[in-house]
Amino acid sequence: MKETRPYRQTARAAAAAQTGRDILAAAVALWRERALDAITLADIAERAGVSVQTVIRRFGSKEGVVEAAIAADASGIPQARQAAPVGDVSAALDVLLAHYEADGDAVLRTLALEDRLPAARQIAENGRAFHRAWCARVFAPFLPDPGDGGGTARLDAFVAATDLSLWKLLRHDLGRSAEATRDAFGVLVGGLTST
């Protein structure tokens, strides 16, 4: 009897952890399909195959699910973006634009809600901070030493030249193909790396 109890506790803990992962995966999948304010706890629970009460017991609220998803990198976006090698502009743009093609519309829907939805604001703020840090890491060979001055403006230029809003302008507003969008990003970033 004593040997069975630790096994059961381990199995229960593993099942609970898997339930948590399933809930976060469901929330991310729904976020990729529709606006954050159109997602309910019932939607998340149904997609995860659990009850609403299970989601509430585990995360407290929809905002709690969002916070946990961000903390756990449930979307996989930061991990995928970190695959961009330092100093390799072509590879960095490939990684960046693959992210925008996969998740750009979901991020744009979230940005549209940031002024009225705290969870959207949190996602937007985290995304902006992550993108800036990503640019600082990936384009480090093209940035001046911190003590030389001018580093902030140059980093700002890399952030702006690789921003999601540029992808939206090219892909949605101007109707450019993914290849033409890649070329435009390349021209802008190329201008920054050649000076």
Side-chain angles (χ1 to χ4, degrees):
M1 190 82 162
K2 288 183 180 177
E3 291 181 23
T4 309
R5 183 172 287 148
Y7 171 77
R8 286 184 185 155
Q9 290 173 344
T10 301
R12 275 193 212 117
Q18 184 59 53
T19 297
R21 288 189 296 272
D22 291 345
I23 292 168
L24 297 180
V28 169
L30 289 163
W31 170 76
R32 286 186 165 122
E33 294 171 9
R34 60 181 99 143
L36 198 56
D37 63 346
I39 300 169
T40 66
L41 281 174
D43 295 331
I44 294 168
E46 181 180 346
R47 181 70 62 99
V50 299
S51 69
V52 171
Q53 193 57 42
T54 298
V55 177
I56 292 170
R57 195 170 34 249
R58 184 69 187 243
F59 298 103
S61 64
K62 184 170 85 171
E63 288 72 24
V65 174
V66 170
E67 289 171 11
I70 293 169
D73 183 21
S75 69
I77 294 170
Q79 182 179 0
R81 289 271 301 268
Q82 293 297 23
V86 173
D88 186 336
V89 173
S90 181
L93 290 180
D94 288 344
V95 168
L96 177 73
L97 291 170
H99 160 226
Y100 288 169
E101 289 295 323
D103 294 315
D105 290 330
V107 175
L108 290 170
R109 285 191 300 268
T110 303
L111 291 173
L113 297 171
E114 73 174 311
D115 289 337
R116 61 185 180 86
L117 194 64
R121 186 175 315 110
Q122 181 183 4
I123 292 169
E125 289 171 358
N126 287 358
R128 286 185 191 102
F130 175 81
H131 183 66
R132 185 172 188 82
W134 182 85
C135 286
R137 181 185 70 82
V138 171
F139 301 119
F142 310 104
L143 295 169
D145 289 330
D148 292 346
T152 300
R154 192 147 180 86
L155 178 57
D156 287 347
F158 277 107
V159 170
T162 57
D163 192 73
L164 178 67
S165 60
L166 176 61
W167 176 83
K168 177 193 176 290
L169 171 71
L170 294 165
R171 291 291 277 141
H172 291 301
D173 301 344
L174 298 177
R176 301 296 186 254
S177 67
E179 184 178 337
T181 298
R182 170 69 166 75
D183 291 343
F185 271 75
V187 168
L188 288 170
V189 175
L192 290 169
T193 58
S194 64
T195 58

